[in-house]
Amino acid sequence: MFLKRLLLLPLLLVLLFSCSTTTGVFDDPYTFSSASVDEKLMHYGAEKVSVPIPECYYNGGLWLEKLEELVQEAEDYIFISTFLGSSSSRLETLYELLSQKAESGVDVYIIIDGLSSYDMTETRNYMTQLYFLRDSGVHLIEYAPVSALRIINPASLIIRDHRKLFVFDGKKCAIGGMNLNYISLGAPDVKLQRDSMYLFDSPELSALFMREFINIWNKTSVEKIDPELYPTYAGSGDEALYDAYLFNQGPGGSSNVASMYASLINGAKESIYILPYLPIWNESMYNSIRLAVERGVDVHIFFPLDSRSYAESGVKYVIPDIVDTGAHVYVAVIGGDENLPMLHEKLMVVDGRYTVIGSTNFNYRSMDLSHEDSLVIDSSEFAASSIEHFYDRMAEGSIEIDEQVAEKWKDDSSFLSYLMVYYGG
């Protein structure tokens, strides 16, 4: 294992000095200005959309049941993009339903990231690759499949499509953090990652997600999708709607998620709650949190220690720097006599009003080395329920970390592991 990590070091060093960065926006004076949140988010390329409060799924088993229902109800088309996609015994019904829909004439398109075959979670012990879906007429492609030829361009190996998005018939859509694999959906509930998905009954948002999906599909596949073949719809007008801001960081997008986070954190006045899976930041990001605390903002940061040893070591390496920001820092470690399932959720709530959901981790890798989708919802109602969820989810198995504990954990870590997590996630 040590030899493998050592061999990775040259690649990581190449990336360190070759990749451009968007996180410099955390130092942009405009993000600290008196401009409204709406003005800042629109300035940085957000697409404004009206959305209802979504259905929230915090349990992979329940989300799997809902997915099966949504697939069964689909009449025209299904678009799915997932970072990690594979099958296991509990997922067989879902993939059988997708195959049946394709055979019945429903257009089913699936994008999986090229790292799906290299899943490093417990999924690797149970997974079956999804290529068999093509036999039933499902259109399936890999984004940036890993190959020896890509070593010529290291960035093509490490820039991944990290989004998890779904569109059903242009009327319902979903985003969040759950992959289509064993550890997210297919394991017995006690082993499932703690994560979230958000389902919207929103033709307007569905149209935007459909466009994003088609953009990346047409960029990646020789088989092109004609968007004119897939209808979009107007909303019913009956539902209560809230302003939301979509940040599409990927092909066809004009925004980056770093500017979204910078605008919200640097403009925060009262409180910030963050779930930053793998909190590997650069100095601009640390300084943004530090300045918020100095302004009197009450900042709470919850994150896990990864079950993968190199990732756990990499996170432990930076804990003293996170604690040094002055934020309240909690680590989800132990539940009863055994480790809780991995906390993989992505969520931020600012000033009891703005809630950020989607695929994006609050870390360097998501901001600079991945295609991501994030949605900022301006709703005090949704923010309140999300903060309640923070404490429901974190109450068990979280401990607040002080400087002494942080330094001790750093002594048990390694810089090489930190470097691997910084770029590899």
Side-chain angles (χ1 to χ4, degrees):
M1 178 61 71
F2 175 78
L3 180 59
K4 289 182 180 178
R5 294 179 185 177
L6 190 62
L7 292 173
L8 278 174
L9 186 57
L11 174 60
L12 296 176
L13 290 175
V14 168
L15 289 164
L16 178 63
F17 293 107
S18 64
C19 290
S20 61
T21 180
T22 64
T23 50
V25 71
F26 281 90
D27 301 319
D28 186 345
Y30 185 71
T31 64
F32 293 94
S33 73
S34 60
S36 68
V37 170
D38 177 271
E39 290 170 328
K40 291 178 184 178
L41 297 179
M42 297 302 291
H43 171 80
Y44 288 112
E47 292 187 86
K48 196 170 183 178
V49 59
S50 296
V51 299
I53 297 295
E55 293 180 33
C56 304
Y57 291 85
Y58 301 123
N59 176 283
L62 295 178
W63 173 239
L64 177 58
E65 291 178 9
K66 187 63 179 181
L67 263 182
E68 292 172 354
E69 177 186 322
L70 291 165
V71 170
Q72 288 177 309
E73 292 174 349
E75 298 177 345
D76 192 0
Y77 62 91
I78 300 170
F79 293 156
I80 298 174
S81 181
T82 187
F83 177 53
L84 300 174
S86 59
S87 186
S88 58
S89 59
R90 287 185 64 183
L91 288 166
E92 287 177 357
T93 298
L94 173 65
Y95 293 122
E96 287 173 4
L97 290 170
L98 286 167
S99 294
Q100 291 168 11
K101 281 295 177 178
E103 289 170 347
S104 71
V106 173
D107 287 340
V108 180
Y109 287 86
I110 301 176
I111 300 172
I112 59 175
D113 187 81
L115 289 184
S116 284
S117 300
Y118 303 89
D119 194 339
M120 294 181 290
T121 70
E122 191 178 357
T123 291
R124 69 186 182 279
N125 300 315
Y126 301 92
M127 67 182 179
T128 299
Q129 300 306 319
L130 297 182
Y131 310 122
F132 66 88
L133 290 171
R134 293 169 175 159
D135 295 336
S136 60
V138 172
H139 306 270
L140 174 75
I141 60 171
E142 285 184 278
Y143 177 81
V146 177
S147 67
L149 288 176
R150 291 185 180 273
I151 296 176
I152 299 171
N153 179 11
S156 70
L157 282 173
I158 206 163
I159 295 176
R160 312 310 310 180
D161 186 23
H162 191 244
R163 294 179 287 190
K164 296 91 174 169
L165 68 85
F166 300 79
V167 181
F168 300 92
D169 291 342
K171 298 175 182 177
K172 293 185 178 182
C173 59
I175 57 171
M178 294 185 194
N179 293 295
L180 291 180
N181 63 356
Y182 174 85
I183 200 63
S184 283
L185 304 182
D189 285 348
V190 70
K191 291 185 178 181
L192 289 174
Q193 286 185 157
R194 292 179 289 164
D195 212 333
S196 57
M197 289 297 296
Y198 301 89
L199 176 65
F200 294 86
D201 188 348
S202 172
E204 186 179 357
L205 186 60
S206 295
L208 294 181
F209 283 166
M210 184 184 75
R211 185 203 61 202
E212 291 184 20
F213 182 93
I214 291 175
N215 278 338
I216 196 166
W217 180 281
N218 288 346
K219 175 182 173 62
T220 304
S221 175
V222 294
E223 174 196 8
K224 305 304 180 184
I225 298 176
D226 181 357
E228 298 297 324
L229 298 178
Y230 298 96
T232 58
Y233 303 89
S236 66
D238 297 331
E239 66 275 14
L241 297 179
Y242 300 87
D243 288 341
Y245 303 83
L246 179 63
F247 280 76
N248 167 30
Q249 180 173 289
S254 59
S255 58
N256 62 71
V257 293
S259 59
M260 173 197 72
Y261 279 112
S263 296
L264 291 168
I265 293 173
N266 291 347
K269 296 177 175 62
E270 299 173 4
S271 62
I272 302 172
Y273 295 83
I274 312 178
L275 291 178
Y277 176 64
L278 295 180
I280 308 299
W281 309 340
N282 64 14
E283 188 54 37
S284 294
M285 297 165 70
Y286 283 117
N287 194 50
S288 181
I289 298 294
R290 188 177 298 113
L291 290 173
V293 173
E294 290 176 0
R295 292 196 307 272
V297 178
D298 190 22
V299 182
H300 296 258
I301 301 170
F302 299 83
F303 60 86
L305 292 179
D306 200 300
S307 57
R308 298 168 294 178
S309 59
Y310 82 90
E312 177 180 340
S313 177
V315 171
K316 283 184 173 180
Y317 188 87
V318 302
I319 285 178
D321 296 320
I322 299 174
V323 171
D324 186 59
T325 63
H328 299 283
V329 178
Y330 305 86
V331 176
V333 184
I334 299 171
D337 296 325
E338 60 180 324
N339 287 342
L340 286 167
M342 171 59 61
L343 176 62
H344 189 250
E345 191 170 348
K346 304 94 172 59
L347 182 66
M348 184 171 79
V349 183
V350 174
D351 289 346
R353 178 174 173 180
Y354 300 101
T355 304
V356 179
I357 60 174
S359 65
T360 310
N361 296 307
F362 183 68
N363 63 17
Y364 170 83
R365 204 222 185 285
S366 273
M367 293 184 193
D368 269 350
L369 300 173
S370 298
H371 302 320
E372 304 282 2
D373 262 325
S374 279
L375 189 69
V376 183
I377 301 176
D378 181 359
S379 165
S380 298
E381 175 188 350
F382 186 52
S385 65
S386 297
I387 292 173
E388 182 179 356
H389 165 67
F390 262 95
Y391 286 106
D392 286 346
R393 181 58 62 101
M394 303 310 129
E396 181 185 14
S398 292
I399 59 174
E400 187 164 6
I401 303 299
D402 59 23
E403 292 181 10
Q404 184 177 0
V405 172
E407 290 295 342
K408 182 179 184 302
W409 281 4
K410 183 172 183 177
D411 290 341
D412 298 332
S413 66
S414 77
F415 175 75
L416 180 56
S417 293
Y418 156 76
L419 194 60
M420 290 179 66
V421 177
Y422 195 94
Y423 286 105

